[in-house]
Structure formats: structure tokens, C-alpha cells
Amino acid sequence: MKAKVYVTLKKGVLDPQGRAVMGALKSMDFGEVKDVRVGKYMELELDGASKEVEEKRLREMCEKLLANTVVENYRIEIE
Amino acid sequence: MKAKVYVTLKKGVLDPQGRAVMGALKSMDFGEVKDVRVGKYMELELDGASKEVEEKRLREMCEKLLANTVVENYRIEIE
């Protein structure tokens, strides 16, 4: 089964990469851009049991490796 | 308005970052992981005109800066 994981910086955490992208967009005449936040997006192919079990396992993967839960949030989608 | 941009590597393009993540997950006893592809996820805050105009502008941003269309695909979602 396929799973998607979205990792984003928590609100209030400074996002220098997003700032840089916004600056670049503004300098390219995309003045309508008011804010940019950059995150990670992962597609995982899993050979797992049930959806319920895999969701639990994915949460574990996120907590342990995929996201830094001190400054990042994560969201899981299983197809 | 808010927009989300997903940038992923095209099929067939080697993803060393994904490989590294997969290796790490396997070594942490997540053996059910068969493949991992890592992409980028961006949230943009736009102060734009209509949804139609902004979608066109976002495509332009992706083509020019946000994605490397030689090796990457992008997907846009406007809220």
C-alpha cells in the first residue's frame, strides 16, 4: 500500500528556506506572494498488514525518524 | 488565498535521499518499507486576483523557480 507523509514546520518556527524562496519570487515580479513555508513530502511504498496497523507504524516512523517533532508537524495519508 | 505546491522527482530519476531514508527505516526494524521517494511541499500565501489567474501564475513560479522540470514534476492545489 501507498502512504504519503507531509512534514511541515510548526507555526512560529522561523523558516529561512521559505524566506529565501519568497525573496526570490518577489524579485521575479511575483509580488502577490505574501508568505512561503517549505516542508517535506514523502511517498512510501509499504508491504504491510492492515491500514490500521500501518498507520500506527507510520506514526512511529515519523516520531522516530521522518519528522523532528520539536519543531515540525506531520500528517499521514494512506491510500 | 492559500496554495499548496508538491514537487516530486519524475519516475526513473534516482532518489538518493529516499534511498537513505529507506535504509534508515529498514535498520530501525521497519522492514515493511519497500520504497521511499522524498519530495518538497510548499505552502504559499497569495494576495492575488482570481483563482484562475493565480493558478496560471503559480504554474509560472513552478516552471521558473520552484521545480526543476527536467527531473521533477509539480502539482498545485489552490484553496
Side-chain angles (χ1 to χ4, degrees):
Chain A
M1 88 192 71
K2 269 202 168 185
K4 291 172 182 174
V5 175
Y6 305 86
V7 179
T8 47
L9 280 171
K10 286 185 180 171
K11 261 200 179 131
V13 178
L14 199 71
D15 180 2
Q17 199 186 352
R19 273 293 147 103
V21 171
M22 185 171 71
L25 286 172
K26 280 192 186 291
S27 75
M28 291 164 80
D29 274 332
F30 293 109
E32 72 264 47
V33 180
K34 293 300 159 214
D35 194 26
V36 180
R37 306 277 289 174
V38 179
K40 273 171 289 179
Y41 165 66
M42 281 164 276
E43 289 177 345
L44 288 91
E45 184 71 48
L46 300 167
D47 185 16
S50 67
K51 213 168 153 170
E52 289 70 36
V53 174
E54 272 328 303
E55 194 174 333
K56 212 178 137 229
R57 297 274 291 168
L58 274 164
R59 270 183 205 293
E60 224 178 295
M61 292 180 208
C62 286
E63 297 282 341
K64 284 186 180 167
L65 182 80
L66 304 179
N68 173 359
T69 52
V70 178
V71 288
E72 289 172 331
N73 289 322
Y74 62 89
R75 186 159 55 86
I76 292 166
E77 270 176 28
I78 301 179
E79 277 172 11
Chain B
M1 89 191 72
K2 270 202 167 185
K4 290 172 182 175
V5 175
Y6 306 86
V7 179
T8 48
L9 280 171
K10 286 185 180 171
K11 259 198 181 135
V13 177
L14 197 70
D15 180 2
Q17 200 186 349
R19 275 290 148 104
V21 171
M22 184 170 70
L25 286 172
K26 279 192 187 294
S27 76
M28 290 164 81
D29 275 330
F30 294 109
E32 72 264 46
V33 180
K34 293 302 160 213
D35 194 28
V36 180
R37 307 276 290 170
V38 179
K40 272 171 289 179
Y41 166 67
M42 279 164 277
E43 289 178 344
L44 288 89
E45 184 71 47
L46 300 167
D47 185 17
S50 66
K51 213 169 154 169
E52 290 70 34
V53 174
E54 271 330 300
E55 195 175 333
K56 213 180 136 229
R57 298 273 291 169
L58 274 164
R59 270 184 204 293
E60 226 177 294
M61 291 178 208
C62 286
E63 298 282 341
K64 285 187 180 166
L65 182 79
L66 304 180
N68 173 0
T69 53
V70 178
V71 288
E72 290 172 331
N73 289 321
Y74 62 86
R75 187 159 54 83
I76 292 166
E77 269 175 26
I78 301 178
E79 278 171 11

